[in-house]
Amino acid sequence: MKSLPVVVLMALLLSVQLVAQSSDHPRVLVLTTGGTIASRTDAPMEAGSDLVGAVPALLDHAAIEVEEFSRIGSSQMTPGHWLRLAERVNEAFESDPELAGVVITHGTDTMEETAFFLNLTVRFSRPVVLVGSMRSSNEISADGPANLLNAVRVAVRPAARGKGVLVVLNEDISAARDVWKTDNRRVHTFRSPEFGFLGVVDPDTVMFYRTSLRPHTTNSEFDVGSLETLPRVEVVSDYAGFDGTAIDDMILRSPDGIVLATFAGGRMSAGARQGVSAAVEAGIPVVVSSRVPGGRIIGNPVGQLGAVVARDIPPHKARILMMLALTQSRNVIQIQRVFDTY
Ligand code: ASP
């Protein structure tokens, strides 16, 4: 990875300080990546400093440093971006013990994946809050400015420490592990179907009611600081009548791992069963994840196939946890331990 002086120099070059006159406010670093929150329907995506500058009320709560990390729709996010984001967040907390928190503005399409990755790779307990919007900044009742203000209000809260990476939209606070984008259009799209919100951001205060008990951040075993790339894990979907050939084709590309998105309880089509066996035979670890958003895959329905079960982790997040597990071991017993832990 790049040497520290270069990272700091680049950060300084890209960052803008927005400080209220009498700022003894907590300091927050806002990393902007793009997404609808920075978009207009009638012009190109806005610069990070303009996005943040458009919400002067932020300065009532924090001394803000803005740094443009990227300017992309989140459908263009990649594991490479995740690695650099994790490095930048860890470096920011490492080099500045007084930094209260980090807010990341991000598109909503892959926000839950970036949040899940950072939840397992940020090595600090200070708040990291992802925020976005469902309406562009020039649309009527744009939700971006209020979401950004609420994200900063959460990031400066001591009560937000140790809660893992958070997602804040529509006055709701969600845990990175549990949150899903559940609606293609509406502002209340982020929900945690199984375990609900951790808290809310009300006009008068920020309230937390729960915390996530699965390990994250400072209790995570994953350290990606020295990695240039992540293992390549592909996802394949099972369906009624699937003949498995998509898995055979995948095996030819020698991925480091495969996630099968299959039916409830880890039950799968005959074609998928053949494909999983062939992949395991070829030495490619396979994780079986349910396409159903509620409940765990219990027991070990695929043990006899030599595959791993993802418990309650959905396919797109199971891919991320498998990538991280593969940075340590290709042993399926070890990978299963990871899925039983996180
Ligand atoms: N296309 C947008 C994205 O970047 C959608 C959004 O942000 O709501 O993910």
Side-chain angles (χ1 to χ4, degrees):
M1 270 302 147
K2 294 179 205 67
S3 63
L4 199 54
V6 174
V7 171
V8 174
L9 187 60
M10 280 179 63
L12 286 172
L13 286 173
L14 289 167
S15 77
V16 176
Q17 302 260 347
L18 290 179
V19 181
Q21 294 318 314
S22 61
S23 184
D24 49 13
H25 286 320
R27 280 186 294 105
V28 169
L29 170 63
V30 178
L31 296 175
T32 63
T33 71
T36 297
I37 193 169
S39 300
R40 296 180 59 86
T41 56
D42 59 359
M45 232 180 244
E46 292 170 328
S49 52
D50 297 335
L51 165 65
V52 171
V55 191
L58 295 174
L59 305 181
D60 301 339
H61 300 273
I64 304 276
E65 183 187 338
V66 192
E67 190 178 301
E68 185 152 76
F69 176 87
S70 62
R71 207 184 294 186
I72 58 172
S74 71
S75 53
Q76 305 315 306
M77 269 287 161
T78 66
H81 289 99
W82 295 340
L83 278 175
R84 287 193 297 113
L85 260 178
E87 184 201 8
R88 184 66 193 95
V89 172
N90 284 320
E91 189 279 321
F93 282 138
E94 180 103 46
S95 63
D96 184 353
E98 297 309 308
L99 184 65
V102 173
V103 167
I104 300 174
T105 62
H106 192 290
T108 59
D109 292 347
T110 61
M111 186 183 288
E112 64 213 59
E113 290 167 78
T114 303
F116 187 69
F117 179 81
L118 294 175
N119 195 47
L120 297 167
T121 56
V122 166
R123 298 192 308 281
F124 292 83
S125 62
R126 280 171 274 167
V128 175
V129 182
L130 276 84
V131 62
S133 73
M134 292 301 286
R135 298 179 186 140
S136 297
S137 60
N138 64 320
E139 285 186 78
I140 295 173
S141 298
D143 51 334
N147 288 345
L148 180 55
L149 181 61
N150 289 337
V152 167
R153 289 178 58 210
V154 171
V156 298
R157 282 278 165 162
R161 288 176 173 227
K163 295 266 186 321
V165 169
L166 303 170
V167 167
V168 171
L169 266 90
N170 203 42
E171 300 178 354
D172 299 320
I173 308 171
S174 302
R177 184 187 185 281
D178 309 325
V179 74
W180 291 62
K181 182 175 181 178
T182 63
D183 193 293
N184 291 291
R185 284 202 40 73
R186 289 168 181 73
V187 294
H188 60 252
T189 186
F190 282 102
R191 315 192 75 78
S192 302
E194 278 281 75
F195 307 115
F197 300 121
L198 296 186
V200 295
V201 191
D202 283 335
D204 62 335
T205 189
V206 173
M207 294 295 288
F208 282 96
Y209 296 94
R210 295 184 321 106
T211 191
S212 180
L213 298 178
R214 309 312 290 178
H216 55 71
T217 57
T218 49
N219 297 319
S220 167
E221 63 195 90
F222 303 111
D223 181 351
V224 296
S226 61
L227 299 183
E228 294 279 346
T229 58
L230 286 163
R232 187 162 58 82
V233 174
E234 301 204 12
V235 180
V236 59
S237 287
D238 195 7
Y239 46 79
F242 176 52
D243 64 7
T245 48
I247 302 180
D248 301 336
D249 298 346
M250 218 172 244
I251 293 169
L252 298 175
R253 293 196 297 273
S254 312
D256 297 303
I258 293 174
V259 171
L260 174 72
T262 190
F263 314 139
R267 289 175 290 280
M268 61 184 76
S269 65
R273 188 165 288 279
Q274 273 162 16
V276 168
S277 306
V280 170
E281 191 75 26
I284 299 171
V286 176
V287 167
V288 173
S289 171
S290 168
R291 67 184 189 183
V292 173
R296 298 167 58 246
I297 300 176
I298 61 171
N300 199 353
V302 292
Q304 71 277 18
L305 293 175
V308 169
V309 285
R311 302 304 179 204
D312 69 329
I313 299 184
H316 56 310
K317 290 183 177 177
R319 169 180 174 247
I320 296 168
L321 190 53
M322 189 181 196
M323 290 161 103
L324 290 169
L326 288 170
T327 63
Q328 297 175 309
S329 168
R330 295 178 60 75
N331 173 295
V332 286
I333 306 223
Q334 276 309 317
I335 300 172
Q336 186 64 68
R337 174 192 62 75
V338 165
F339 277 87
D340 288 335
T341 304
Y342 290 89

